[in-house]
Amino acid sequence: MAGKLNFRERWVLVTGASSGLGEEMANQLAAEYGANLILVARRADRLSDLAAKLESAHGVHCKVIAADLSRHGDVQRVFHEATAEHEIHGVILNAGITHFGKHQDLSWERFETLLQTNLVGVVWLVNNFLPYFAGKGIDGAIMLVSSMAGMMPVPYQAAYAGSKAFLTNFGQSLSEELRGEAVSITVFSPGGIATPMAHNSDLRYFENTMFLQDVASCAAQGLAAMAARRRLYVPGKFNRLQLFSSRFVPRAFSAALTGATYRKALRAAGH
Ligand SMILES: NC(=O)c1ccc[n+]([C@@H]2O[C@H](COP(=O)([O-])OP(=O)(O)OC[C@H]3O[C@@H](n4cnc5c(N)ncnc54)[C@H](OP(=O)(O)O)[C@@H]3O)[C@@H](O)[C@H]2O)c1
């Protein structure tokens, strides 16, 4: 496996860069790593503002690609537009959505959107970036932004937890298949983060809890893990302690505890 990554003046693609973790990773990649950025999400105005800010503050170059990653045509376009003009060394597949509430209240259409965004488009991009790196002889790195929700049952986020479990197992399995090759895959699995995903939900739980990690430290740890070519990384001491403790707790108990917390929060929000 190749050594630690250097992103200075190299192009890194970040999906979901218009908000939350992706936006913060883009900020830090420009400010701390000196990387040029390809910023991808649906909200073009937010991406353009971010690009202008990063270019003027840090002297990096940015390219904006507005795309809906739940649509296969857009996923393909992102790959082709990104690779047409620039040589890419890092790919952060961060865009993701969730559904808080009973799985049965999630429409089929919304479920398909969740799967396409969190999972199908991600796998398509991985399938295409691996031969791209190999063909160009680039010792590139891919980060799959998963979640601790992919490591344990999360009632009332069932489809989300399922999609993240896929990403975690997919990424870890693929990492082993790539042993000895120049490219690395990092599965990054945060616990709760203080981002719009949590705060835009109407669950007061996220207003009151102290268990959300601040986005700056989460992003910093994710980028460091990717640069060091870690295969799986959970940021935050509290999250790692929770993960360690979960080895000694039956999954059924963990599901019941999480279920009870969410039921209370959903009831308080009038669901
Ligand atoms: N927040 C948490 O507690 C938490 C915990 C663990 C893992 N994560 C993971 O971290 C990642 C980032 O989440 P976040 O917390 O930063 O949430 P966020 O603030 O809601 O950001 C989500 C990002 O994904 C983009 N996105 C969503 N649907 C898209 C689509 N169809 N096409 C293109 N882009 C799309 C959004 O951009 P547009 O709306 O502009 O398209 C936005 O930039 C996700 O994969 C999430 O699962 C979050």
Side-chain angles (χ1 to χ4, degrees):
M1 171 155 304
K4 201 170 177 228
L5 278 162
N6 175 10
F7 293 124
R8 190 153 299 278
E9 292 178 22
R10 289 183 164 171
W11 286 88
V12 178
L13 181 145
V14 183
T15 71
S18 62
S19 165
L21 183 61
E23 181 179 359
E24 181 57 25
M25 285 194 181
N27 273 315
Q28 293 187 19
L29 278 164
E32 315 289 336
Y33 291 81
N36 297 322
L37 294 160
I38 297 180
L39 305 168
V40 182
R42 289 166 300 185
R43 286 171 290 176
D45 51 339
R46 289 182 63 97
L47 296 179
S48 298
D49 290 350
L50 178 63
K53 184 184 98 177
L54 298 180
E55 285 181 339
S56 84
H58 307 296
V60 299
H61 301 291
C62 295
K63 177 183 169 69
V64 165
I65 305 179
D68 182 343
L69 296 170
S70 71
R71 297 182 184 175
H72 189 56
D74 278 23
V75 174
Q76 290 177 305
R77 180 170 57 80
V78 165
F79 177 76
H80 294 303
E81 281 187 22
T83 54
E85 287 175 25
H86 304 294
E87 192 169 84
I88 296 176
H89 286 250
V91 178
I92 299 182
L93 301 173
N94 159 79
I97 54 171
T98 190
H99 164 75
F100 293 111
K102 284 187 177 174
H103 179 68
Q104 287 170 55
D105 294 338
L106 177 66
S107 70
W108 185 253
E109 191 189 3
R110 186 91 184 126
F111 171 67
E112 283 189 321
T113 301
L114 185 149
L115 279 196
Q116 291 291 338
T117 310
N118 291 10
L119 200 162
V120 179
V122 170
V123 175
W124 193 89
L125 287 169
V126 169
N127 286 1
N128 282 273
F129 270 109
L130 288 178
Y132 167 84
F133 286 140
K136 288 186 166 288
I138 297 172
D139 55 347
I142 298 176
M143 181 199 291
L144 307 183
V145 177
S146 186
S147 167
M148 280 178 71
M151 296 164 153
M152 49 192 72
V154 186
Y156 304 101
Q157 279 198 92
Y160 176 78
S163 74
K164 296 298 185 179
F166 177 99
L167 272 194
T168 302
N169 281 304
F170 170 72
Q172 277 197 282
S173 308
L174 198 49
S175 289
E176 182 55 33
E177 290 183 28
L178 293 170
R179 179 183 285 277
E181 293 190 23
V183 66
S184 55
I185 298 213
T186 298
V187 176
F188 182 52
S189 296
I193 326 165
T195 65
M197 179 180 274
H199 289 134
N200 287 350
S201 83
D202 54 0
L203 302 189
R204 298 272 326 268
Y205 169 74
F206 291 116
E207 287 169 23
N208 302 329
T209 182
M210 54 189 250
F211 298 125
L212 294 182
Q213 185 175 24
D214 79 273
V215 70
S217 93
C218 184
Q221 290 181 55
L223 294 175
M226 182 189 185
R229 300 183 179 278
R230 301 284 294 258
R231 288 187 176 189
L232 173 72
Y233 195 77
V234 174
K237 286 195 184 96
F238 174 77
N239 290 331
R240 287 194 291 273
L241 180 66
Q242 193 192 348
L243 194 62
F244 179 75
S245 318
S246 72
R247 292 183 194 171
F248 308 103
V249 176
R251 280 169 72 88
F253 178 77
S254 154
L257 198 65
T258 309
T261 307
Y262 270 98
R263 248 190 311 277
K264 201 169 147 202
L266 286 161
R267 218 176 289 127
H271 286 256

